[in-house]
């Protein structure tokens, strides 16, 4: 029976689908952490979180670059109708990812005691590190399937797969941890049980992707694998198929710089706690109060990371779109897609950053009551920095999609060094103290953004207009910020802000006013046009309803 062709999505449509998955995963993640913290207690939860720091390094090394490389190569082959090249690329990538996953899993499995004792300084986390080791291999295999689908312009399986993975991680992790605690096992064992949920979720994830690909892409795959004549709509491109060695070489050539850049940045960022603590003490603060100041900084970092989480779907979706346009020799389409992606990144991230800055005081005091008074000031600076983080993520994706994967690595590493140097110097100033940390972050990401923009203009001969990318979104975001600030002040005078409930009500009203003002501003200013809405599922009807032009 002939399969129906899998429907592709344009990059904005794909990003919208992935964003739905991000929202669901954030909700499930919150549901997971709250009861898990109660089951494990502070000490056991500390073991659980510490284990994740090891996992994240190996996870970043193995998956930050390779799926991007595969997605790009698949998109290039698909754009030129080289179906057999797609299939061979996938199979070569699957083998490559499996080897990488096995190596890193083996390091975690057999080196668990060394990692727990000498990197985490928590010997009791050894069992948790070992329990986490299968997840690395599984997630590498899953990444090959996701990269294949993304390269074909299909983001639906990735979204469904990620939600399934998190859902089963939450359910199995909580159940296993709860059973072990009831059986009287120690906290290291209970933490390892919770960690095991990650591997269980990855098993479900892999099974789904295998079944999805077999049902939706096996017509082409089976014809290629069996060596028979392909269907009439499949080009006979035997002479165009690269060797397995060349494919693996290309995957590594593209993926390694991306992985190294992300990993080096993650490692440099992991130095933050030690630098902040030591420089605060150098400023004359006690060890305890230095820890308190870093603690409130760590709390607001959770909010700082939120806009970037919603930017990741767009970066995943833009890579195959730009790569396919370049593969077809259509530089104009690649340039337009790049500028549209940066503009939409600004439309999404800029109001979020402004909102965090303007409403920093109620946000911190509602979410983290009785925290150190430095919290709102820290969040105000980090809200502004979050916008530059999102722009850097988008610029990196554009460069990676265009075959300039080494350039973002240079920008990220140099920007991280700038951040560390600034932190080291100004945190030791008693008048600046912990505020030096977000200032360093802001300047570091601004540095990266400027470098990436120069790389895009000079290396890709693309000139995304800063006026188009940032002009109207900035104006609309400032209008939104005024409504947010004014709404909170007016409601505060009416209801008062002495109690947490009253402050929460005032904040919610201010947010609703801000959202309404922003939507009105982007429609009136034509920051988002009817053409943009056509790219979103159901968007054309919304555009007509709002009389967009």
């Amino acid at each position: 029976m002939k399969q129906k062709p899998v429907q592709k999505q344009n990059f904005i449509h794909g990003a919208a689908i992935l964003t739905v998955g991000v929202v669901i995963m954030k909700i499930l993640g919150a549901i997971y952490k709250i009861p898990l913290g109660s089951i494990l207690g502070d000490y056991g939860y500390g073991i659980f979180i510490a284990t994740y720091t090891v996992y994240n390094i190996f996870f970043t090394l193995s998956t930050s670059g390779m799926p991007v490389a595969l997605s790009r190569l698949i998109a290039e082959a698909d754009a030129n109708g080289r179906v057999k090249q797609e299939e061979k690329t996938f199979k070569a990538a699957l083998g490559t990812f499996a080897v990488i996953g096995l190596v890193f899993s083996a390091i975690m499995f057999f080196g668990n005691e060394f990692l727990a004792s000498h990197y985490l300084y928590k010997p009791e986390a050894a069992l948790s590190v070992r329990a986490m080791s299968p997840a690395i291999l599984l997630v590498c295999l899953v990444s090959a399937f996701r990269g294949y689908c993304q390269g074909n312009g299909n983001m639906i399986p990735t979204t469904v797969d990620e939600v399934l993975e998190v859902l089963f991680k939450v359910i199995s992790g909580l159940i296993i941890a709860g059973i072990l605690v009831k059986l009287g096992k120690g906290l290291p064992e209970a933490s390892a049980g919770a960690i095991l949920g990650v591997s269980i979720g990855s098993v479900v994830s892999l099974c789904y992707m295998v079944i999805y690909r077999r049902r939706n892409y096996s017509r082409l795959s089976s014809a290629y694998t069996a060596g028979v004549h392909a269907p009439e709509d499949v080009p006979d491109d035997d002479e165009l198929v690269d060797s397995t060695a060349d494919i693996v070489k290309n995957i590594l050539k593209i993926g390694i710089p991306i992985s190294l850049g992300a990993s080096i940045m993650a490692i440099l960022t992991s130095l933050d706690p030690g630098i902040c603590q030591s420089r605060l003490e150098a400023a004359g603060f006690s060890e305890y109060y230095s820890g308190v100041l870093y603690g409130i900084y760590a709390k607001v970092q959770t909010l700082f990371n939120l806009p970037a989480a919603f930017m990741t779907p767009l970066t995943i979706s833009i890579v195959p779109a730009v790569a396919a346009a370049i593969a077809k020799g259509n530089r104009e389409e690649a340039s337009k897609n790049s500028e549209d992606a940066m503009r939409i990144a600004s439309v999404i991230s800029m109001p979020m950053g402004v909102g965090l800055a303007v409403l920093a005081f109620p946000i911190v005091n509602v979410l983290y009551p009785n925290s150190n008074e430095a919290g709102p000031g820290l969040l105000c600076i980090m809200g502004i920095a979050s916008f530059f983080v999102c722009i850097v993520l988008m610029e990196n994706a554009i460069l990676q999609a265009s075959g300039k994967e080494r350039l973002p690595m240079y920008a990220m590493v140099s920007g991280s060094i700038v951040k560390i140097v600034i932190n080291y110097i100004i945190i030791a100033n008693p008048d600046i103290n912990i505020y030096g940390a977000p200032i360093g972050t802001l300047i570091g990401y601004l540095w990266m953004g400027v470098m990436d923009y120069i790389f895009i203009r000079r290396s890709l001969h693309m000139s995304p207009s800063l006026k188009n990318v940032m002009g109207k979104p900035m104006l609309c975001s400032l209008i939104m910020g005024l409504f947010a600030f004014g709404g909170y002040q007016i409601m505060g005078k009416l209801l008062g802000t002495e109690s947490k409930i009253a402050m929460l009500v005032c904040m919610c009203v201010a947010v609703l006013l801000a959202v309404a003002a922003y939507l009105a501003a982007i429609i009136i200013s034509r920051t988002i046009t009817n053409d943009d809405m056509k790219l979103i599922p159901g968007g054309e009807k919304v555009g007509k309803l709002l009389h967009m032009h």
Side-chain angles (χ1 to χ4, degrees), residues 136-470:
I136 289 290
L137 171 60
L138 292 166
V139 80
C140 283
L141 296 175
V142 169
S143 294
F145 287 90
R146 290 178 182 172
Y148 178 85
C149 294
Q150 290 163 13
N152 277 287
N154 185 7
M155 306 298 162
I156 293 175
T158 295
T159 302
V160 176
D161 184 58
E162 288 176 339
V163 171
L164 284 174
E165 181 182 351
V166 175
L167 179 63
F168 279 87
K169 177 188 78 172
V170 170
I171 295 172
S172 58
L174 291 176
I175 290 174
I176 295 172
I179 290 173
L180 290 173
V181 168
K182 286 184 178 180
L183 291 175
K185 301 294 182 181
L187 290 177
E189 288 79 8
S191 172
I195 290 286
L196 195 60
V198 177
S199 296
I200 293 173
S202 298
V203 169
V204 174
S205 169
L206 180 60
C207 290
Y208 169 79
M209 291 304 295
V210 169
I211 294 170
Y212 184 91
R213 185 175 185 277
R214 187 168 293 176
R215 286 182 176 178
N216 293 278
Y217 294 101
S218 62
R219 178 173 63 91
L220 303 179
S221 178
S222 59
Y224 166 66
T225 304
V228 300
H229 292 292
E232 293 180 1
D233 58 333
V234 180
D236 186 12
D237 56 358
D238 285 318
E239 71 281 0
L240 300 176
V241 178
D242 297 334
S243 68
T244 300
D246 286 340
I247 293 171
V248 172
K249 181 181 176 181
N250 286 333
I251 290 172
L252 296 178
K253 181 182 177 182
I254 298 169
I256 287 177
I258 299 173
S259 295
L260 283 178
S263 300
I264 292 171
M265 189 173 175
I267 292 169
L268 290 175
T269 303
S270 71
L271 300 175
D272 248 7
I275 292 174
C276 290
Q277 184 78 23
S278 64
R279 300 311 288 165
L280 285 169
E281 291 178 21
F285 298 103
S286 67
E287 181 180 352
Y288 174 77
Y289 192 65
S290 297
V292 170
L293 288 175
Y294 182 76
I296 184 60
Y297 172 61
K299 283 181 178 179
V300 300
Q301 276 186 311
T302 303
L303 299 167
F304 162 71
N305 291 327
L306 192 59
F310 288 94
M311 197 51 50
T312 301
L314 192 56
T315 63
I316 292 173
S317 189
I318 193 61
V319 169
V322 172
I326 291 175
K328 290 185 291 187
N330 193 339
R331 287 274 172 180
E332 185 178 346
E333 181 184 346
S335 182
K336 183 182 184 303
N337 284 341
S338 299
E339 183 171 299
D340 285 347
M342 290 183 66
R343 176 172 56 85
I344 293 167
S346 293
V347 169
I348 295 171
S349 62
M350 199 175 286
M352 295 179 75
V354 170
L356 289 174
V358 170
L359 297 176
F361 183 83
I363 290 172
V364 171
N365 283 282
V366 167
L367 297 180
Y368 305 112
N370 303 318
S371 293
N372 186 274
E373 61 184 9
L378 294 171
L379 182 58
C380 184
I381 300 170
M382 297 189 78
I384 299 170
S386 69
F387 164 70
F388 292 102
V389 173
C390 293
I391 291 298
V392 167
L393 289 173
M394 184 53 60
E395 290 174 328
N396 287 350
I398 292 168
L399 287 165
Q400 290 161 5
S402 306
K404 303 295 181 180
E405 57 278 339
R406 292 181 180 272
L407 298 181
M409 179 179 70
Y410 301 145
M412 287 190 291
V413 172
S414 61
S416 296
I417 293 173
V418 167
K419 172 184 181 305
I420 289 172
V421 170
I422 291 174
N423 285 359
Y424 188 86
I425 294 171
I426 66 176
I427 291 176
N429 184 328
D431 295 328
I432 299 177
N433 58 77
I434 193 60
Y435 292 103
I439 291 172
T441 299
L442 173 59
I443 296 174
Y445 276 100
L446 178 60
W447 173 286
M448 295 180 215
V450 171
M451 282 192 69
D452 278 344
Y453 183 73
I454 293 172
F455 289 150
I456 289 172
R457 292 197 63 173
R458 291 188 176 180
S459 302
L460 306 181
H461 307 293
M462 298 177 185
S463 299
S465 169
L466 290 179
K467 180 182 177 181
N468 293 338
V469 169
M470 297 186 185

Side-chain angles (χ1 to χ4, degrees), residues 19-35 163 166-167 169-170 174 306 309-310:
T19 301
V20 173
V22 169
V23 173
I24 296 173
M25 286 189 291
K26 287 290 180 184
I27 294 172
L28 290 174
I31 294 172
Y32 181 48
K33 290 177 181 178
I34 294 172
V163 171
V166 175
L167 179 63
K169 177 188 78 172
V170 170
L174 291 176
L306 192 59
F310 288 94

